[in-house]
Amino acid sequence: MFDAAVLNPLLTRYASWLAMPTELTADTSDEDPEQVVLMPMVLRIERAEPPRRTALLEAAASAALAVCLDERAKPGGEWHEPVHHWISGRIRKVSRRARGAHWAAVQELPGRTVEVDGAEVRAFLPSRVADMPKELTRLQISGSELDADEPGPPAVGEPVLWLNPDVAMSAGKSAAQVGHATMFLAALLHGEHRDDEVARWSAAGLPCSVRVADGATWRRLLPGEDAETAWRRHGVAAVRDAGFTEIDPGTVTVLAQWPRPSATA
């Protein structure tokens, strides 16, 4: 039986996180970098034929959630403890890039690979930085930038992950943010006992559309502090960044919109 209970810790933090002051800061002064627990994500970016940026982000969004909803992450499964421990804290992610033999090597590590229109991303089992295998630590974090593309309208009946039109993010940073977004969507659905919808989404491969919002769409959907109303009226969950890298703390980076029933009829 399908079970998204591993996402429960997100429900207790989501609304309160959005309501925190906008000057929220990521205080890491007492943090040992080697003890940080995070989910590594590897973006396949071949030199000769790089993927389309949008397709790569869509693959990243699906891969991150795929690890969480994997059968092995359920209670009693071999992945449950590391996934639960990570979700119970800060759901930090780090994106690295790989090509050729390095991409092939990381396929042997525990995780899930998702491919969208030729773009591939593998999300891995969360772990302490100190425990990460050399196959991951040797990969570069920088250099993941890709040119913007024109993907067209979002697919009907799929969740849409709207990127903030006023915030510039690298492909690696964006990949982490859309990975947060799909997790929030699944957690909110699970909290409303809508696991059947999450199960159907999972069975379909967790497809989603990533698009840069226009200003009007962003302002209409932005929930501010009223996360409950935004979810109830628009099916929208917001990703608010802690400011560890690239952008200011408290910035809303992604608005994830679950499709309304009429959109799939």
Side-chain angles (χ1 to χ4, degrees):
M1 182 177 179
F2 184 83
D3 185 1
V6 72
L7 297 170
N8 278 338
L10 290 181
L11 292 173
T12 61
R13 300 202 321 272
Y14 176 66
S16 60
W17 174 248
L18 284 186
M20 292 179 77
T22 55
E23 62 270 19
L24 167 76
T25 58
D27 183 6
T28 59
S29 59
D30 62 346
E31 184 176 78
D32 179 352
E34 291 295 297
Q35 301 303 312
V36 170
V37 177
L38 48 76
M39 171 185 277
M41 302 176 71
V42 174
L43 319 179
R44 185 179 188 183
I45 303 180
E46 298 289 346
R47 192 188 308 276
E49 295 184 31
R52 290 191 303 107
R53 180 185 174 103
T54 296
L56 193 72
L57 296 184
E58 291 172 349
S62 300
L65 182 57
V67 170
C68 301
L69 298 183
D70 192 282
E71 284 288 316
R72 290 164 289 186
K74 292 170 62 173
E78 60 188 292
W79 289 5
H80 178 72
E81 183 55 34
V83 172
H84 174 74
H85 176 67
W86 171 65
I87 291 177
S88 298
R90 292 167 168 165
I91 55 168
R92 293 168 68 172
K93 300 180 177 72
V94 62
S95 299
R96 300 176 184 268
R97 63 180 175 87
R99 62 174 63 101
H102 285 174
W103 170 255
V106 300
Q107 301 306 304
E108 302 302 317
L109 302 176
R112 293 284 300 273
T113 297
V114 172
E115 182 268 332
V116 175
D117 294 336
E120 293 180 278
V121 174
R122 186 168 182 84
F124 299 87
L125 199 61
S127 71
R128 294 189 311 154
V129 171
D131 297 332
M132 285 188 187
K134 65 181 187 301
E135 289 89 346
L136 290 174
T137 57
R138 70 187 177 186
L139 301 177
Q140 292 188 5
I141 297 176
S142 61
S144 64
E145 197 44 66
L146 296 166
D147 292 336
D149 57 311
E150 298 292 336
V156 175
E158 292 182 2
V160 184
L161 312 181
W162 298 104
L163 297 174
N164 189 329
D166 300 319
V167 176
M169 295 186 289
S170 67
K173 178 71 172 180
S174 299
Q177 299 300 295
V178 295
H180 297 341
T182 51
M183 289 175 61
F184 284 146
L185 280 179
L188 288 166
L189 290 165
H190 172 67
E192 293 184 343
H193 307 290
R194 295 162 65 183
D195 277 3
D196 55 337
E197 295 178 53
V198 184
R200 286 194 294 271
W201 186 27
S202 182
L206 300 170
C208 57
S209 296
V210 175
R211 299 292 185 271
V212 178
D214 58 52
T217 298
W218 187 262
R219 290 188 296 272
R220 176 172 59 85
L221 297 178
L222 189 64
E225 296 182 5
D226 193 356
E228 183 178 349
T229 296
W231 176 247
R232 186 175 63 252
R233 291 183 179 176
H234 302 297
V236 167
V239 177
R240 193 173 183 219
D241 195 64
F244 292 111
T245 60
E246 291 193 25
I247 59 178
D248 293 334
T251 302
V252 176
T253 56
V254 184
L255 297 178
Q257 187 173 29
W258 187 251
R260 295 185 176 185
S262 58
T264 58

